[in-house]
Amino acid sequence: MHPLDNPIWQALVTTHALFAETCNAARRFPREVSVLGGFSEPTLENYASLAALLSPDERIGLFLQAPPDPPASWIVVNTGPMFQMLFKNGNSSRSAALSNGGQSTPEFIRLTQSDVPEMLALTKLTNPGPFGTRTYEMGDYFGIRIAGALVAMAGERLRLPGYTEISAVCTHPDHVGHGYASALMTLLMDRIRSRGELPFLHVRSENARAVQVYEHLGFTKRALLYYAVLRHQTEQKS
């Protein structure tokens, strides 16, 4: 199996092992870092181990190679197909141009703990995916500020040997159309490649516009995976 076929598990047993909460062959990130978890394979035993890591009725996010088919004690809250896209070759810098009405190019700002309230507000508004109070600890996050306000951001989420995921790519609705997201992605892609790693990302398969943007940046579809948000029932109702 290729490491990217099970990226959450692979991250939690390698580069992100320092975050891992573990029970047998199941691992998860602390809730404040990420809602994601995983296991070596989707067996009954591994689902039971994953359940042992959760609080009652807590939700967990998985990336699976097939539609979720958990044991009866689990509820599938949300699921759907998504493309995993990988950047292999090409010059990402060609896509970094900004369209900002002739104004000076905005500065890329490294985002830190002090920026978390604004990062949470922007991700809540734009919904690029789950983002917690400690998600920024997973990798490097950069943003663009206009008149002092954070209007765009992107960063690194899952990291495993040779690969880093780009995630939380978002722009405030009042500032779309200036190329901020593509510019931030280009910055991250160049930084990742400078470490000898390959950038990858995940996007819902129905999001044709985003897929087109990522293809323009040089990403290609590598695999079709399934995201699944699950909740474990501690007691079966009669």
Side-chain angles (χ1 to χ4, degrees), residues 10-197:
Q10 290 295 332
L12 283 167
V13 298
T14 58
T15 310
H16 279 160
L18 72 163
F19 291 116
E21 299 177 0
T22 306
C23 180
N24 301 320
R27 294 194 173 200
R28 61 164 295 177
F29 286 96
R31 188 72 179 179
E32 320 83 65
V33 176
S34 175
V35 299
L36 299 178
F39 30 51
S40 56
E41 55 182 331
T43 63
L44 294 176
E45 293 78 10
N46 289 345
Y47 269 109
S49 296
L50 186 62
L53 295 172
L54 304 181
S55 302
D57 293 324
E58 182 181 2
R59 297 180 180 186
I60 190 81
L62 306 177
F63 292 170
L64 304 169
Q65 290 184 280
D69 185 23
S73 58
W74 290 83
I75 294 175
V76 179
V77 178
N78 191 17
T79 187
M82 64 180 184
F83 291 124
Q84 182 183 85
M85 303 185 72
L86 179 66
F87 183 92
K88 288 187 177 180
N89 301 299
N91 179 14
S92 59
S93 296
R94 63 183 170 83
S95 300
L98 293 171
S99 172
N100 55 1
Q103 301 176 21
S104 59
T105 301
E107 178 185 0
F108 297 124
I109 300 170
R110 178 76 174 269
L111 300 175
T112 64
Q113 184 178 14
S114 64
D115 300 297
V116 167
E118 285 184 279
M119 297 168 78
L120 291 171
L122 185 58
T123 53
K124 181 178 180 179
L125 177 67
T126 58
N127 194 29
F131 196 90
T133 56
R134 293 178 56 204
T135 301
Y136 75 96
E137 297 179 19
M138 299 177 76
D140 295 332
Y141 281 80
F142 290 88
I144 292 174
R145 290 186 177 277
I146 301 296
L150 183 66
V151 301
M153 61 175 275
E156 301 170 347
R157 186 169 63 173
L158 297 175
R159 298 187 64 186
L160 52 154
Y163 304 94
T164 294
E165 181 194 26
I166 295 177
S167 183
V169 181
C170 56
T171 303
H172 191 286
D174 294 341
H175 295 271
V176 297
H178 299 293
Y180 295 159
S182 293
L184 286 164
M185 287 190 65
T186 296
L187 170 68
L188 289 167
M189 292 160 66
D190 288 344
R191 289 173 60 90
I192 292 167
R193 294 168 68 208
S194 72
R195 302 195 297 256
E197 302 171 358

